[in-house]
Every structure is written in structure tokens, then in C-alpha cells.
Amino acid sequence: MSSEKENETVTSMLSKSSLESQPGKENQNVDKQKAEQYKDEGNKYFKEQQYSKAIENYTLAIQNNPNEASYYGNRSFAYIKSEFYGYALSDANKSIQLDSKYVKGYYRRASSNLALGKFKLALKDYEFVVKTRPNDKDAADKFKECEKICKKIAFEKAIAVDETNKTAWDSIDIEAMRNSNVESDYKGPRLDSTNKINMEFVNQLIEHYREQKVLHKNYAYEILYQIHQFLKKSPTLVDINVPDDKKFTICGDIHGQYYDLLNIFKINGLPSENNGYLFNGDFVDRGSFSVEVIFTLFALKLVYPDHFYLARGNHESINMNQMYGFEGEVKSKYSQQMFNIFTEIFNLLPLCHLINSKVLVMHGGLFSKDDVTIDDIRAVDRNRQPPEDGLMCDLMWSDPQYSTGRSQSKRGVGIQFGPDVTQAFLIKNNLDYVVRSHEVKQEGYEVMHNGKCITVFSAPNYCDSMGNKGAFINIKGNDLTPKFVTYEAVEHPKIKPMAYANSFSLFGLN
């Protein structure tokens, strides 16, 4: 994910480099020596992880010599590092168009498609790389790993056809689990015979997790069962009423950063009837404490169903979970069976929340078409994996842009929408502003579109590498003016982000 400065730079660079794709421009204003200088400068910034500056220099290299495939390949890699997979895919395609034997172009395209969950397309390009470089062990490993994912998906689809009416819960006997004895040497939080989850249990769970201990599987399944039963009855769009004298807090992405989640509660107070929260998606993946995050959030939802809210993000989906660590983490700490249950529960999470009929909160953003109403959102059938277009896709994937209108998504999914789109949507639905998450911001938040589109991101020093602050928003029922609270990252156990993720890496630069 990128900061707002990177966002601006990328948008600017794309507009400046529009000549790249225009027919007949390839041979104009070629200065190969200057292009190489810009490429070398881009490589230097890339190695320093200053990806926006790397993109800027690769773009200048392209403008001075639009015929060199490696410049597009390098910029594609920088886009991948910035998680702009749509732009990365476009550059990879251009590099292959210029040089059909440019192996790194196929590698970049495979990596972009892989990140977007398009495993079959990625597999095709990995296969090309392996055939071209038969002695490349790294490429062979990636091909095998991608092939394994494709076979797994095909197998799961075959099972789904044969067992249409079955769910992951069919293999779980929750009553038998409730009646079984938990081992006497288990020292963690326990539920009594009523199985009621209360704040005493949650407080014990928080401390248990703080010490890097695992919740007993019987209690883990109990939480999942109860949250599944609750979410089955929830609507796609949840209305929240915040009383005049009550504080309410909106948080953005957490991404498995459990110790930073605890810091939010330390700063802002634990959830209660007088201290409501909305966590706006992307609870899991990336950070290596996603299991701890999601069970804590689910437990709090069960304790305060009318004061604690959870929205679905793009990372509450199977493709993202398979790539970015959550599946691997659940399998490591519990089982594949439990991950399958998580997948069914994530499908039931609401897509957005409407606060006091005036503030709409969703994870991604607004829509690829005009005249969408609140009632249209209410009518979305959310119980599925995110589609590649339509209202559900936009709610989970789209991003705001500085320019007016709509444009191609830098991510390759959803769209980018301008201030005019935001203004028209707010007027149409009599809203004050929208809040979304989905993007790293250096200060933890960003206010765009004349104050009408706010981004909040709550994972500080994202992936232990971005150096950003985290933030949350406080509002009151009688004053919906957003008040931003920012904070730095706190220490966590020495387990690196992405510890459970697929081990795909990329070729180096040219």
C-alpha cells in the first residue's frame, strides 16, 4: 500500500507518460543515454525502498526511450512494491509487447496476476519462465507453488459441485465439543456451561494472547459458531445510531497487528456501551497475529452487538487470505477446517455502515456508475466471494483520486473516483461525508474531496516497514465532525509480517 504522496506521484507520472501507449510515438525524442541515467537513478531509489521516486525516474527513462522493455519491467516491479497491481500489470504487458523474449516481463505479469488472485493466468506465465530458464530453481519453485494453488482451487470447486448443500460447519459437532472436557493443563480463558462470552472472558483472552498463547480450539470454535449465527441475521448495510452524548470511534485496517490493536484500546478505552467502535475491514493478512486480532474482535462483537461493529474489507476473502498469510496462520495454529469456516463467516460480514443517517463508512470506496442509492447498497447480496465488478466490488476495492471523474484502478480491481463523484453521491443520498480505509496514509488518515472523503488507516508502521502512523476517528452523536487521533507503532514479539504467507518473491532489477 502507498502513502498519499506516492499516490499523487503515481497519478502525475501516469498522466505525463501517456505518450507511451500512443501509436507512432515510440521513435520520437529518443535519448538513450539520458534514459539510462534515469533508470540507474530509479534503481537507486528502488533499493532504498523509495518506490514513488523510483517510479518517477523509470517514467522519465520511458519518456526518453519508450522502446526499452526493461524500463517498463522495472516500473512494474516498483508498482508491485507499491501494491498498484493494475498499473504493474499494464507495464508488464507493455514490456512483453516490446520484447516477447523479455523473461522478467512475464515474471512481473505473473506476480501481478498472482497478487490479484488470478492464479491460472499467473501459472501460464510462470510456466513460460520455467521453460525459458530450465535451470532457474527459484522460477521452478514458484511454478510448482502456483500449480499447487490452482490444483487446490480446482479440487475445492469439484467438491463444491458434488456437495452443493454442504458447508464447512457440517464437519463440526458443536454440541459434542461443548460437552467434551477441556484438558486440565490448559491455562487459558474458559467458558462456563452457559457458553456466554462476556468481558471477563475477553479480558482474559487479551492477556492470554499478549503472552503469545493459543486459545483452546473448543472455545475458538464456540466464538466462531456464535458469530456465524449472529452475522447470518445481519444486513448488508448496518444502521448505527450514536446518541448525542456518546463517543463513537471508527478504525481502519488492522492487518494482523495485534499489539497495535491493544494500543488503540489503551489510548481510546475498551469497547463498552458508552464507547462504541466500528472496525472498517482488513482485520487479517500481512501481520502475523491475525488469529489473535480476529478472535478478539469477534468476541467483542458478541459482548456488545449493538455498540461494536465490523465491516468486510477486501482481505476478508479467500484469494487474499491464501496469498497474504491468514490461511497459513490459521492452519498453523488450528486447522484447514477452521480456515474454511472463517471463509464462510467473512462472506456474511456487512459491507458498510450508516451512522446517524449522515455518514457512510465502507472499506474501499464509491462506485463505477452514477445514481447509486443507499437502498441499492442495502439490496446487495453479499454472501459470496467478492466479484470483479459491481457495487460489492467497488465497496471493497475502490479508491479516491484527486482529479475529477473516474479512472482505471491502480490495483487492477474496482475504480478510482474523483471529488465530483463523491459530491454527487452525497447529494443524491443526503449524506455529510464518507469514511473509508484500504490505503496506508503517512499520518494514519487523509482528508480529500473538500473534506467529504476521509481515509483512516489504523496499522502503524505497516508491515514493520512503512514508518506510517496509525489513526482512528472520534465522533459524537450530536457532533459528527471527525476528530483524528494518531499514534506510533508499539513493540511486538519478533515474528515478522507475512510469516505465514506464500513464499513468492521476484526477480531483481535490470
Side-chain angles (χ1 to χ4, degrees):
M1 294 193 180
S2 70
S3 70
E4 62 268 34
K5 291 181 180 178
E6 285 178 318
N7 220 351
E8 280 186 283
T9 300
V10 169
T11 303
S12 173
M13 288 298 101
L14 276 164
S15 63
K16 288 179 184 176
S17 61
S18 60
L19 62 85
E20 300 160 22
S21 58
Q22 294 178 14
K25 297 283 185 181
E26 285 80 357
N27 295 314
Q28 293 184 14
N29 302 321
V30 173
D31 187 335
K32 292 184 178 181
Q33 183 176 355
K34 186 176 288 187
E36 278 294 297
Q37 290 172 352
Y38 282 124
K39 182 207 74 172
D40 292 341
E41 191 72 8
N43 289 355
K44 180 175 75 72
Y45 283 121
F46 187 98
K47 289 171 184 175
E48 294 170 356
Q49 299 184 13
Q50 298 187 53
Y51 301 122
S52 62
K53 290 183 178 179
I55 289 167
E56 181 176 351
N57 279 276
Y58 294 144
T59 301
L60 291 169
I62 288 167
Q63 289 174 351
N64 280 278
N65 182 8
N67 308 316
E68 174 54 51
S70 67
Y71 300 163
Y72 293 93
N74 285 6
R75 192 172 68 173
S76 178
F77 197 6
Y79 281 143
I80 289 169
K81 288 292 190 179
S82 303
E83 299 191 17
F84 297 161
Y85 300 120
Y87 294 166
L89 194 59
S90 177
D91 271 359
N93 281 327
K94 181 66 176 179
S95 72
I96 294 167
Q97 178 187 333
L98 287 169
D99 182 357
S100 61
K101 296 180 180 179
Y102 179 58
V103 176
K104 291 186 181 179
Y106 293 92
Y107 218 125
R108 303 287 184 255
R109 189 165 69 180
S111 299
S112 302
N113 278 320
L114 194 70
L116 292 167
K118 298 178 179 180
F119 301 115
K120 286 186 178 180
L121 292 174
L123 182 64
K124 185 177 179 182
D125 282 333
Y126 281 132
E127 185 176 19
F128 174 87
V129 175
V130 168
K131 287 180 178 178
T132 306
R133 294 183 172 181
N135 297 322
D136 189 324
K137 183 179 182 302
D138 188 56
D141 289 345
K142 288 177 174 56
F143 172 73
K144 288 177 183 176
E145 186 68 23
C146 191
E147 186 177 45
K148 185 164 49 173
I149 293 172
C150 289
K151 286 180 178 178
K152 181 175 182 284
I153 292 170
F155 176 71
E156 289 170 349
K157 284 184 178 179
I159 291 175
V161 170
D162 292 339
E163 303 180 1
T164 308
N165 297 319
K166 289 190 175 183
T167 73
W169 283 108
D170 292 330
S171 60
I172 301 293
D173 188 338
I174 194 70
E175 287 302 324
M177 196 171 288
R178 286 170 171 171
N179 293 325
S180 66
N181 291 323
V182 172
E183 297 83 352
S184 59
D185 60 351
Y186 169 70
K187 302 302 182 184
R190 292 172 178 262
L191 293 171
D192 63 22
S193 59
T194 67
N195 293 303
K196 182 174 177 58
I197 295 166
N198 54 31
M199 273 309 293
E200 181 182 1
F201 175 86
V202 173
N203 283 324
Q204 292 174 6
L205 180 65
I206 286 172
E207 294 309 312
H208 191 67
Y209 280 155
R210 196 194 300 272
E211 297 173 5
Q212 301 180 68
K213 297 177 181 177
V214 177
L215 178 66
H216 194 281
K217 66 180 178 63
N218 286 23
Y219 303 132
Y221 276 113
E222 183 64 40
I223 292 172
L224 294 178
Y225 178 77
Q226 291 189 32
I227 201 73
H228 185 258
Q229 294 301 109
F230 182 91
L231 291 175
K232 283 197 298 186
K233 302 171 185 176
S234 298
T236 294
L237 185 151
V238 175
D239 291 281
I240 299 174
N241 177 47
V242 181
D244 285 353
D245 59 338
K246 294 293 192 292
K247 180 182 78 171
F248 191 80
T249 301
I250 305 169
C251 297
D253 305 38
I254 298 297
H255 275 302
Q257 296 185 200
Y258 181 70
Y259 296 85
D260 292 307
L261 171 65
L262 297 190
N263 192 41
I264 292 173
F265 294 148
K266 180 180 178 181
I267 296 167
N268 197 56
L270 281 166
S272 70
E273 292 181 357
N274 296 313
N275 193 26
Y277 278 86
L278 164 58
F279 281 84
N280 196 29
D282 281 12
F283 321 119
V284 302
D285 283 337
R286 308 284 192 186
S288 296
F289 306 96
S290 293
V291 164
E292 291 80 358
V293 166
I294 197 63
F295 274 119
T296 300
L297 294 179
F298 279 173
L300 285 165
K301 177 63 180 174
L302 293 169
V303 175
Y304 297 112
D306 298 323
H307 302 90
F308 190 86
Y309 300 90
L310 302 172
R312 189 178 186 181
N314 62 301
H315 276 266
E316 279 70 58
S317 61
I318 192 166
N319 284 349
M320 296 294 103
N321 296 162
Q322 288 172 334
M323 280 299 301
Y324 296 107
F326 186 59
E327 181 184 38
E329 184 179 344
V330 175
K331 287 165 65 176
S332 174
K333 295 176 181 177
Y334 292 102
S335 65
Q336 178 69 48
Q337 178 189 58
M338 183 178 284
F339 174 72
N340 295 340
I341 286 173
F342 269 113
T343 297
E344 292 185 4
I345 290 172
F346 287 165
N347 285 351
L348 296 173
L349 284 165
L351 299 182
C352 53
H353 293 76
L354 182 59
I355 301 173
N356 288 12
S357 301
K358 285 297 183 181
V359 179
L360 189 68
V361 186
M362 76 291 288
H363 180 74
L366 297 182
F367 307 101
S368 54
K369 64 177 185 178
D370 294 326
D371 299 325
V372 174
T373 66
I374 295 297
D375 286 341
D376 292 331
I377 299 171
R378 293 188 196 278
V380 171
D381 177 11
R382 73 186 189 282
N383 188 6
R384 54 179 171 155
Q385 289 302 302
E388 293 192 6
D389 54 29
L391 299 190
M392 182 175 176
C393 173
D394 294 338
L395 285 167
M396 296 172 72
W397 277 99
S398 291
D399 298 288
Q401 64 183 18
Y402 295 94
S403 57
T404 58
R406 297 178 175 91
S407 63
Q408 169 195 355
S409 170
K410 58 182 177 279
R411 301 175 188 271
V413 187
I415 55 106
Q416 292 177 203
F417 59 96
D420 54 326
V421 175
T422 298
Q423 183 68 14
F425 177 79
L426 295 176
I427 291 171
K428 175 82 175 176
N429 292 283
N430 193 28
L431 300 172
D432 289 351
Y433 58 91
V434 296
V435 177
R436 39 91 61 183
S437 302
H438 198 38
E439 291 181 284
V440 179
K441 299 299 175 183
Q442 202 59 35
E443 293 301 312
Y445 70 95
E446 183 181 24
V447 180
M448 294 177 64
H449 297 179
N450 301 311
K452 301 300 185 182
C453 180
I454 297 170
T455 299
V456 60
F457 190 85
S458 301
N461 194 24
Y462 177 56
C463 286
D464 288 357
S465 63
M466 295 295 289
N468 61 290
K469 293 178 182 178
F472 53 80
I473 299 170
N474 284 333
I475 58 174
K476 285 195 171 181
N478 60 349
D479 182 7
L480 296 176
T481 304
K483 296 177 175 58
F484 302 99
V485 178
T486 65
Y487 48 91
E488 303 285 351
V490 297
E491 288 188 11
H492 63 75
K494 297 188 182 303
I495 301 174
K496 293 180 179 180
M498 303 285 281
Y500 301 95
N502 273 306
S503 56
F504 288 100
S505 59
L506 305 169
F507 281 140
L509 297 168
N510 287 94

